[in-house]
Amino acid sequence: MTSHAPIAQIDTARAKRQSRSFWRDAGGFILRDRLTVFAIAVLLLATLVCSLAPIVLERVFNLEVNDTNIPDRFKLPGEDGYVLGTDQLGRDQLLRLIYGGRVSLTIAYLASVMTVTIGVSLGLLAGYYGRTVDDLISWGINTLSAIPPLFLLLIAAAVWEPSTEALVLMLAALGWVGTSRLVRGEVLSLKERDYVVAARALGASDLRILASHILPNVFPIVMVTMTIIAGNLILTESGLSYLGMGIQPPTPTWGNMLTDSRSFLVTGVHLIVMPGILIMITVLCFYLVGDGLRDALDPRRYQQ
């Protein structure tokens, strides 16, 4: 009787070579896309500064983000050594923007990763197993889709204190619906492909099929989705802060700094400009990275 093991090993080796070639080609495409490279560099720089600068400022210069100096309130950028001026309590605006960026980016990164993890897991299960599992997960998707997420976030924020950890959990718990629906649709198509049918016929377990054959083909879509979600989460945090349901002062975020500065449009216009510019640039960079990844990971371009 002829063994199928050598054939399976040859197919696996060929698939690995094709996968390496695909990712190598995608990486080269991204490196040639100057706009995407610039957006990635901006995000990496912002993440590095917001992650390391607070540690240096605290341990080396002994500066605290909430240190007040009432005589120096509403200093303009460049005045008396304040690079970006001071706020209504005399706090250094540059220092608060750095600390606020750390909180805002932490929320964006952690919540997007958790959102995608939940969405991909449920989407894989719903699409692959179908029937009762699909019905239950689809019921949850349809139920959450019928309620505007902002209303649920406002209710949750009113019940629980919106700390950074609580806000990340709330955003992840309510934001997985779109990702799950997208992954489910892809899995419904992928599970009928010849290589999946062949793997199942050779006795591969469901876990192996999901991990080795389906998930790698869904992963490019997941990467693009996660960048878009991260940008949306920064806007969501800013919107919650505007409604008074986000992270509460004195903990700074770009969202609540922008909201708190509304009352000082005349006396401290610089307090409005910088948080708004940082939010706009960061969200735009996330969208540009997502657009670049979409083009680089498009299978049709690779086939051509």
Side-chain angles (χ1 to χ4, degrees):
M1 182 173 60
T2 304
S3 174
H4 294 284
I7 299 177
Q9 292 174 359
I10 293 174
D11 291 341
T12 302
R14 184 183 297 114
K16 289 182 178 179
R17 288 196 300 270
Q18 292 175 348
S19 177
R20 287 196 296 267
S21 178
F22 172 79
W23 288 107
R24 189 182 300 112
D25 180 75
F29 183 88
I30 291 175
L31 291 177
R32 293 190 298 270
D33 187 346
R34 296 181 179 180
L35 191 58
T36 301
V37 172
F38 175 76
I40 293 174
V42 171
L43 291 176
L44 289 176
L45 179 62
T47 303
L48 185 64
V49 170
C50 292
S51 300
L52 299 181
I55 300 175
V56 176
L57 292 171
E58 288 177 356
R59 298 183 179 181
V60 178
F61 297 98
N62 295 321
L63 295 176
E64 294 291 340
V65 64
N66 293 318
D67 287 345
T68 60
N69 189 3
I70 300 300
D72 287 343
R73 62 199 302 261
F74 293 123
K75 292 290 184 180
L76 296 176
E79 188 177 353
D80 292 342
Y82 293 105
V83 177
L84 294 180
T86 61
D87 63 5
Q88 69 275 17
L89 297 177
R91 296 174 295 192
D92 191 316
Q93 182 75 347
L94 176 60
L95 184 61
R96 287 182 61 77
L97 285 171
I98 292 174
Y99 273 83
R102 181 171 66 173
V103 177
S104 295
L105 290 175
T106 297
I107 292 173
Y109 287 136
L110 291 182
S112 62
V113 170
M114 292 179 63
T115 298
V116 167
T117 301
I118 297 173
V120 169
S121 301
L122 294 178
L124 287 174
L125 294 176
Y128 185 78
Y129 288 106
R131 298 184 180 180
T132 304
V133 176
D134 188 19
D135 291 339
L136 290 174
I137 295 176
S138 296
W139 174 81
I141 292 174
N142 295 331
T143 301
L144 288 178
S145 298
I147 306 174
L150 183 59
F151 291 166
L152 295 176
L153 285 172
L154 291 175
I155 294 173
V159 175
W160 294 287
E161 181 181 357
S163 62
T164 302
E165 296 79 5
L167 187 57
V168 167
L169 293 175
M170 288 189 293
L171 291 172
L174 299 176
W176 57 269
V177 174
T179 304
S180 182
R181 182 185 287 113
L182 179 63
V183 172
R184 173 184 175 274
E186 289 294 319
V187 174
L188 287 174
S189 174
L190 291 171
K191 73 176 185 178
E192 302 299 333
R193 299 289 177 86
D194 292 341
Y195 57 86
V196 175
V197 175
R200 190 182 297 114
L202 292 173
S205 64
D206 291 342
L207 180 60
R208 181 177 179 83
I209 293 174
L210 286 171
S212 301
H213 300 286
I214 294 182
L215 184 58
N217 289 283
V218 176
F219 190 68
I221 301 175
V222 172
M223 291 181 62
V224 176
T225 303
M226 188 162 60
T227 57
I228 304 301
I229 290 175
N232 290 338
L233 288 174
I234 292 181
L235 294 177
T236 301
E237 186 275 323
S238 301
L240 289 174
S241 296
Y242 181 82
L243 296 173
M245 295 295 183
I247 305 297
Q248 299 299 310
T251 301
T253 69
W254 290 341
N256 65 29
M257 290 179 67
L258 184 62
T259 301
D260 293 343
S261 61
R262 290 178 301 164
S263 304
F264 312 107
L265 184 59
V266 177
T267 56
V269 67
H270 61 284
L271 301 178
I272 299 176
V273 173
M274 287 310 300
I277 289 177
L278 289 174
I279 292 173
M280 180 187 69
I281 291 176
T282 305
V283 173
L284 178 61
C285 285
F286 275 119
Y287 288 168
L288 290 175
V289 172
D291 185 67
L293 288 174
R294 183 197 62 188
D295 294 337
L297 300 176
D298 188 351
R300 292 171 297 182
R301 182 192 63 80
Y302 180 73
Q303 291 172 358
Q304 294 174 357

